[in-house]
């Protein structure tokens, strides 16, 4: 035997030992099943199961040991677990419960090698519904789940005796809730992102109470501290002694009591040891939706007819004339053909409802749009180069970039008052702006620099400083992104408005040059914008971080005004498709030929050939937030805004694979890192300008990013004239320039049609 053959034999023997050990462990853990399984004394050939169905479409009992060591026993349909079954992975994870075409779906129990367990409802591989998680550290959560995250009402009992009963959002305490400490203290009130924040009452076991406002787990703002003898202290609370002030009111029964009391003792003594347990708790090595299923695909001695998909392709469950082990992601496996879900041919490179090795999406008739040829596969755009041209020393805007970076470094580093979220009206005054002169040799407040002299203007600096705090932007990180050693990147061409766009090297921030009229609009609406984003954490409206102006001196004294915004598409995921959606049809078709379209191309309404499907609770929150945001923009007389949407297709195989199969998107928020599905649509030839095509039932797993952009256009005289002129030539309902009320209604109607609730079995 050759050395190579000897190595193969040893590897095979090791595999046999592993599968036998897995089988013995499974038998000891599983016990007996009411649905029955094969004789435990006989080794099962996964290719030849004695319980095979008599005909296509029957569910039968299977007892399978896979070559990779996984073990399954239970009901089986075509090529997937379907019904009741138990699956044991070689790493010690186990699921017992209901399956639907290869996905954990319904009620079940998932256990980890660490001893942690989840028992409750599953949907599409995710912990989703009502369930109980018990950690290996003794913590227990009972309540609602959405896509592996605590979301809704739930009760968490901590191993140390603490307990939280209240609302959760995205895995963290948020909303109304009550936290009991084991020492008898408790807090009842508002929570935000896992911490005490908002209005609430803290009650100590000795009878003292604090009723008022909180921030980051500490009293902040108006509040009342009360003793059991009815004496109390009322005032403005803050950890900063300079901001703390109030009045003590003694009790009638004991007027001398508590006279020497110091409010600082609440922070230093009373709240000491009253920390909230780590909301993240135990870190799991893997989630149920990340587990892969090893399935056999073989057609030996099998007379099953090939099942065809809606477009005539071979369906799931067909066993090809060769054997192959398929590794399936639990969260995406098993979607099938006839029911309008994803389809994949096991053991073949032909894929339906997924992205194939060549990067092709499902072929479908789409004869309403000339870009997509009938009956041809819809392909992912070719990979685009990194957006933008690096502004090097020989770039025409190099000096402008230096000025911008110098100005922002000066603005952010400049000392300012403590940024309280409660701003006075004077902070929003249009006259509230600061000019700074930057001579090349430097000055008392500015450093020397290699460019020409310029002036720098900050608009409403305190407001934008507070906005950055509200948006959780660290000042040092902000400066490093924009003003660090890495140069900015200028996008290849200006937008339709004539504005230029610049991206920071880390893609976190976008800088846009804007017109004087847009500056006026933003300053006018700034108080309403601030109140809106403060009141609605999940707002989809674009985040603004700074508004500035550079005035260049010399022969050409021009002013360049620009706004700094968050980049919606800053993510570790590659954005494969980008759409700018307004709900109008005139001019809303990308004029690029297909050969020039890449992943960075912004497509428009008439290019859209998907419907976006969100999980129920996210869809409801999305609809509520769209209504809130559109009401705000309508009240501010804003129109011509759009919803920018980015899609990352999760299932890209072969050389195009971008994320490991089964990887979860991490922290989820409305509009960012959102797992969803998109359903392919088709425009028929007679409806060439149809905004929304007909659903085909062909779905894809995606990660979505979206937000409302371009919110600085009011309905001024220019737009009114544009509306009047175009209304003569075109259908008035098809043009973008319409009254803000009409624009808001049309935008909402369109968005609520292209987004829908994902009603998935």
């Amino acid at each position: 035997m050759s050395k190579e053959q000897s190595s193969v034999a040893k590897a095979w023997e090791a595999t046999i030992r592993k599968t036998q050990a897995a089988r013995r462990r499974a038998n000891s853990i599983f016990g007996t099943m009411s649905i029955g399984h094969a004789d435990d004394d006989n080794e099962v050939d996964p290719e030849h199961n004695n319980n095979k169905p008599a005909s296509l479409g029957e569910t039968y009992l299977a007892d399978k040991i896979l070559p990779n060591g996984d073990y399954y026993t239970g009901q089986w349909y075509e090529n997937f677990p379907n019904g009741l079954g138990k699956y044991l992975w070689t790493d010690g994870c186990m699921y017992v419960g209901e399956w639907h075409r290869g996905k954990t779906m319904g009620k079940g129990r998932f256990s980890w090698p660490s001893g942690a367990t989840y028992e409750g409802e599953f949907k599409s591989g995710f912990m989703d519904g009502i369930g109980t998680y018990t950690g290996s550290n003794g913590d227990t959560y009972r309540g609602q789940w959405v896509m592996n995250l605590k979301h809704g009402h739930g009760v968490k009992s901590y191993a140390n005796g603490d307990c939280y009963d209240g609302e959760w959002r995205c895995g963290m305490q948020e909303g109304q809730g009550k936290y009991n400490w084991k020492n008898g203290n408790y807090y009842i009130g508002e929570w935000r992102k896992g911490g005490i924040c908002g209005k609430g009452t803290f009650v100590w076991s000795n009878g003292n109470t604090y009723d008022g406002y909180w921030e980051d787990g500490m009293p902040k703002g108006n509040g009342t501290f009360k003793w059991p003898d009815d004496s109390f202290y009322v005032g403005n609370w803050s950890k900063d002694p300079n901001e703390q002030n109030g009045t003590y009111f003694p009790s009638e029964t004991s007027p001398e009591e508590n006279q020497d009391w110091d409010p600082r003792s609440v922070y230093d003594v009373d709240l000491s040891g009253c920390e909230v347990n780590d909301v993240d708790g135990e870190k799991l090595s893997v989630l149920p939706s990340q587990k892969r299923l090893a399935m056999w695909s073989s057609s030996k001695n099998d007379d099953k007819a090939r099942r065809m998909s809606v477009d005539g392709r071979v369906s799931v469950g067909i066993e090809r004339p060769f054997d192959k082990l398929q590794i399936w992601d639990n969260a995406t496996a098993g979607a099938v053909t006839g029911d309008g879900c994803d389809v994949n041919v096991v053991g073949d490179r032909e894929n339906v409802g997924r992205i194939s090795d060549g990067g092709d999406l499902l072929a479908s008739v789409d004869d309403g749009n000339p870009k997509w040829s009938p009956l041809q596969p819809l392909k992912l755009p070719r990979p685009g180069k990194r957006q933008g041209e690096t502004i090097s020393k020989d770039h025409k805007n190099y000096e402008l970039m230096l000025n911008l970076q110098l100005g922002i470094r000066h603005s952010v580093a400049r000392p300012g008052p403590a940024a309280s979220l409660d701003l006075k009206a004077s902070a929003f005054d249009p006259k509230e702006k600061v000019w700074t002169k930057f001579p090349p040799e430097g000055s008392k407040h500015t450093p020397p620099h290699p460019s020409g002299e310029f002036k720098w203007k900050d608009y409403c600096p305190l407001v934008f400083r507070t906005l950055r705090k509200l948006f959780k932007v660290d000042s040092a990180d902000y400066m490093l992104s924009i003003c660090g050693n890495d140069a900015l990147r200028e996008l290849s061409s200006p937008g339709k408005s004539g504005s230029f766009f610049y991206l920071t090297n880390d893609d976190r921030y976008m800088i846009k040059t804007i017109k004087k009229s847009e500056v006026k609009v933003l300053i006018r609406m700034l108080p309403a914008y601030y109140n809106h984003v403060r009141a609605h954490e999940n707002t989809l409206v674009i985040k603004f971080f700074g508004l500035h102006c550079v005035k260049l001196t010399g022969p050409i004294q021009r002013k360049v005004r620009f706004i700094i915004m968050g980049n919606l598409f800053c993510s570790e995921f590659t954005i494969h498709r980008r759409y700018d959606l307004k709900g109008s049809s005139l001019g809303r078709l990308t004029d690029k030929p297909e050969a020039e379209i890449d992943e960075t191309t912004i497509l428009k309404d008439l290019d859209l050939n998907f419907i976006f499907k969100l999980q129920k609770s996210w869809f409801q929150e999305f609809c509520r937030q769209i209504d809130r945001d559109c009401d705000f923009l309508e009240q501010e007389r804003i129109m011509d805004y759009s919803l920018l949407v980015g899609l990352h297709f999760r299932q890209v195989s072969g050389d195009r694979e971008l994320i490991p199969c089964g990887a979860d998107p991490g922290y989820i928020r409305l509009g960012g890192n959102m797992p969803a599905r998109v359903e392919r649509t088709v425009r028929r030839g007679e409806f060439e300008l149809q905004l929304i095509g007909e659903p085909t039932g062909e779905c894809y797993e995606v990660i979505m990013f979206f937000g409302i952009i371009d919110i600085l256009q009011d309905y001024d005289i220019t737009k009114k004239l544009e509306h009047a002129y175009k209304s003569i030539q075109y259908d008035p309902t098809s043009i973008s320039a319409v009254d803000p009320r009409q624009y808001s209604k049309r935008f909402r109607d369109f968005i609520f049609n292209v987004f829908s609730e994902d009603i998935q079995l």
Side-chain angles (χ1 to χ4, degrees):
M1 181 182 294
S2 67
K3 184 176 181 181
E4 182 179 356
Q5 290 173 326
S6 176
S7 298
V8 171
K10 289 180 180 178
W12 175 248
E13 289 172 2
T15 300
I16 293 296
R17 287 195 298 272
K18 180 188 285 187
T19 57
Q20 290 173 342
R23 177 63 176 275
R24 287 193 297 272
R25 179 173 182 177
N27 287 339
S28 66
I29 297 175
F30 290 166
T32 58
M33 290 185 66
S34 59
I35 61 174
H37 55 76
D39 186 358
D40 289 343
D41 295 331
N42 299 323
E43 198 65 52
V44 177
D45 181 353
E47 301 175 27
H48 302 88
N49 192 294
N50 295 328
N51 292 325
K52 287 257 181 150
S55 60
L56 177 65
E58 286 188 22
T59 298
Y60 62 100
L61 302 182
D63 199 350
K64 295 177 178 287
I65 299 177
L66 284 304
N68 71 340
D70 290 356
Y71 173 75
Y72 175 81
T73 180
Q75 292 177 301
W76 194 268
Y77 178 81
E78 293 192 346
N79 204 54
F80 299 106
N82 195 80
L84 292 174
K86 303 182 181 181
Y87 196 106
L88 176 67
W89 287 268
T90 54
D91 63 1
C93 291
M94 183 178 70
Y95 173 79
V96 181
E98 296 176 317
W99 297 79
H100 179 75
R101 296 192 180 275
K103 299 181 184 180
T104 52
M105 186 86 73
K107 294 184 178 179
R109 184 176 190 271
F110 190 95
S111 58
W112 286 264
S114 64
T117 62
Y118 169 84
E119 186 165 1
E121 296 175 334
F122 288 80
K123 183 176 180 182
S124 300
F126 293 89
M127 299 181 287
D128 199 302
I130 304 297
T132 299
Y133 171 81
T134 303
S136 60
N137 59 0
D139 291 353
T140 300
Y141 169 85
R142 297 180 179 89
Q144 295 175 301
W145 298 76
V146 173
M147 301 186 78
N148 294 334
L149 295 174
K150 305 175 188 73
H151 194 92
H153 183 266
V155 178
K156 184 165 184 179
S157 301
Y158 298 88
N160 69 347
D162 292 357
C163 179
Y164 172 83
D165 183 350
E167 298 300 313
W168 297 75
R169 183 176 185 83
C170 299
M172 295 183 286
Q173 295 109 321
E174 179 138 353
Q176 290 290 327
K178 181 179 182 181
Y179 193 100
N180 288 279
W181 282 265
K182 63 180 179 180
N183 61 8
N185 299 343
Y186 68 87
Y187 167 85
I188 183 167
E190 296 178 346
W191 295 72
R192 185 177 180 185
K193 291 187 176 180
I196 296 173
C197 190
K199 194 174 189 305
T201 301
F202 195 105
V203 180
W204 283 266
S205 57
N206 62 6
N208 294 347
T209 64
Y210 169 82
D211 182 22
Y213 288 90
W214 299 73
E215 185 176 303
D216 296 330
M218 293 292 174
K220 180 67 183 292
N222 293 326
T224 301
F225 189 93
K226 190 174 182 179
W227 287 266
D229 63 359
D230 290 335
S231 58
F232 59 94
Y233 172 91
V234 180
N236 181 68
W237 293 73
S238 175
K239 290 191 72 174
D240 184 349
N242 297 323
E243 295 182 3
Q244 175 79 40
N245 61 79
T247 304
Y248 172 74
F249 295 87
S251 167
E252 294 181 0
T253 58
S254 52
E256 302 301 322
E257 193 75 19
N258 305 316
Q259 287 284 0
D260 298 328
W261 175 80
D262 183 358
R264 304 297 305 161
S265 65
V266 173
Y267 299 96
D268 302 333
V269 180
D270 295 347
L271 290 174
S272 177
C274 293
E275 294 81 12
V276 174
N277 267 286
D278 180 16
V279 70
D280 293 331
E282 180 183 11
K283 300 294 185 182
L284 294 173
S285 58
V286 67
L287 294 169
S289 58
Q290 295 174 311
K291 295 304 295 180
R292 299 182 179 187
L293 309 184
M295 301 303 169
W296 272 101
S297 175
S298 173
S299 64
K300 293 182 180 180
N301 303 321
D302 195 341
D303 296 328
K304 289 184 185 178
R306 293 190 176 187
R307 184 177 178 184
M308 307 302 289
S309 72
V310 290
D311 67 344
R313 296 181 179 223
V314 183
S315 170
V316 139
I318 291 57
E319 298 186 345
R320 311 297 292 172
F322 52 85
D323 301 332
K324 188 173 183 180
L325 179 68
Q326 295 291 322
I327 304 297
W328 287 83
D329 181 337
N330 182 26
T332 56
V336 295
T337 169
D339 59 3
C341 297
D342 298 2
V343 184
N344 190 71
V345 178
V346 180
D348 196 346
R349 291 174 64 87
E350 183 177 18
N351 287 268
V352 182
R354 295 170 58 119
I355 302 172
S356 73
D357 292 346
D360 295 341
L361 293 179
L362 174 66
S364 177
V365 178
D366 194 2
D367 47 17
N369 190 331
K371 286 189 179 60
W372 318 121
S373 304
L375 300 177
Q376 293 298 314
L378 176 61
K379 297 182 178 180
L380 278 179
R382 59 186 173 84
K385 296 179 180 178
R386 194 181 190 199
Q387 281 188 287
E389 175 189 359
T390 300
I391 304 178
S392 55
K393 284 189 176 181
D394 55 351
H395 194 282
K396 63 178 182 179
N397 287 327
Y398 177 73
E399 189 167 307
L400 177 63
M401 181 194 74
L402 289 182
N403 297 345
L404 186 154
Q405 292 177 322
L406 284 166
I408 289 177
R409 186 182 292 112
H410 173 76
S411 299
V412 177
R414 184 174 57 235
S420 169
L421 296 182
D422 298 318
L423 296 178
K424 297 179 180 179
S426 58
F428 298 93
D429 192 318
K431 297 179 181 178
E432 188 67 19
K433 45 196 170 187
V434 179
W435 277 105
T436 304
K437 188 176 181 181
F438 280 78
E441 66 277 9
S443 67
K444 181 180 179 181
H445 302 291
T446 64
H449 58 86
S451 62
E453 181 175 300
F454 69 94
K455 288 185 177 180
W456 172 263
K457 182 195 287 188
D458 272 330
Y459 295 89
C460 300
L462 180 58
V463 176
F464 286 101
R465 179 188 295 269
T466 310
L467 280 172
R468 293 194 294 270
K469 177 183 178 182
L470 186 66
F471 295 142
K472 309 297 183 185
V473 173
D474 180 79
S475 296
D477 290 342
Y478 184 70
M479 280 198 294
L480 188 62
S481 291
I482 301 174
C483 314
N485 294 328
D486 296 315
L488 302 178
R489 305 196 315 274
E490 183 179 81
L491 298 192
S492 56
S493 60
K496 184 179 178 181
S497 63
S499 298
F500 283 85
F501 293 86
Y502 302 92
L503 281 171
T504 57
N505 189 62
D506 58 9
D507 290 332
R508 292 177 63 185
Y509 303 104
M510 181 173 284
I511 302 168
K512 177 186 178 183
T513 62
I514 59 176
K515 297 176 290 188
K516 184 177 182 179
S517 60
E518 292 176 302
V519 172
K520 289 182 176 180
V521 169
L522 179 54
I523 295 297
R524 172 182 60 78
M525 66 184 286
L526 194 55
Y529 172 85
Y530 179 82
N531 291 332
H532 182 76
V533 298
R534 184 182 178 186
H536 305 293
E537 182 186 5
N538 285 327
T539 180
L540 299 173
V541 172
I542 191 70
K543 291 180 171 63
F544 292 137
F545 302 115
L547 179 62
H548 311 284
C549 175
V550 169
K551 183 179 180 181
L552 303 177
T553 58
I556 304 177
Q557 295 191 2
R558 66 185 181 113
K559 291 182 179 179
V560 182
R561 303 168 181 88
F562 53 90
I563 186 80
I564 302 176
M565 309 174 289
N567 179 12
L568 288 175
F569 296 154
C570 178
S571 169
E572 69 272 22
F573 295 106
T574 299
I575 306 299
H576 296 126
R577 295 260 178 167
R578 303 164 191 247
Y579 294 96
D580 182 279
L581 305 175
K582 293 186 176 184
S584 57
S585 57
L586 183 63
R588 301 301 293 165
L589 184 68
T590 302
D591 53 6
K592 283 186 177 182
E594 184 180 357
E596 295 181 14
I597 292 177
D598 62 23
E599 292 174 345
T600 64
T601 302
I602 304 292
L603 303 173
K604 300 180 182 179
D605 300 66
L606 293 178
D607 300 301
L608 180 65
N609 53 347
F610 294 112
I611 290 174
F612 310 116
K613 294 177 171 287
L614 302 181
Q615 193 272 344
K616 181 179 179 180
S617 62
W618 283 115
F619 176 69
Q620 292 172 344
E621 176 61 24
F622 170 78
C623 293
R624 286 192 293 266
Q625 194 57 54
I626 284 288
D627 278 334
R628 297 183 193 116
D629 291 341
C630 287
D631 286 344
F632 156 67
L633 295 171
E634 182 181 331
Q635 290 166 8
E636 294 303 311
R637 302 289 293 166
I638 301 298
M639 42 78 67
D640 216 21
Y641 46 88
S642 55
L643 187 74
L644 186 64
V645 178
L647 300 179
H648 168 86
F649 290 91
R650 299 188 71 178
Q651 300 303 316
V652 182
S653 57
D655 294 337
R656 298 292 306 279
E657 187 168 0
L658 300 172
I659 59 173
C661 185
D664 275 2
Y667 175 74
I668 304 170
R669 59 177 175 80
L670 187 65
N673 272 21
M674 291 195 67
R677 294 196 309 152
V678 293
E679 181 176 1
R680 187 73 189 282
T681 61
V682 171
R683 292 183 180 86
R684 303 302 176 186
E686 63 271 26
F687 301 112
E688 189 167 332
L689 295 181
Q690 179 182 7
L691 270 176
I692 304 173
E694 301 171 15
T696 64
E698 299 157 3
C699 300
Y700 312 89
E701 302 280 347
V702 298
I703 305 294
M704 290 193 70
F705 303 83
F706 50 83
I708 297 175
I709 63 170
D710 296 337
I711 65 167
L712 299 181
Q713 179 61 61
D714 62 353
Y715 196 51
D716 58 13
I717 186 62
T718 304
K719 287 296 179 181
K720 291 176 181 177
L721 291 174
E722 180 185 342
H723 173 78
Y725 175 73
K726 289 185 176 179
S727 295
I728 299 173
Q729 299 176 298
Y730 308 102
D731 177 2
T733 63
S734 69
I735 61 180
S736 293
V738 294
D739 176 86
R741 179 175 296 180
Q742 182 183 345
Y743 191 95
S744 174
K745 182 181 184 305
R746 183 180 65 188
F747 179 81
R748 290 189 230 201
D749 290 344
F750 174 69
I751 294 301
F752 292 153
N753 276 296
V754 294
F755 280 79
S756 68
E757 179 183 333
D758 192 357
I759 306 174
Q760 185 181 13
L761 294 177

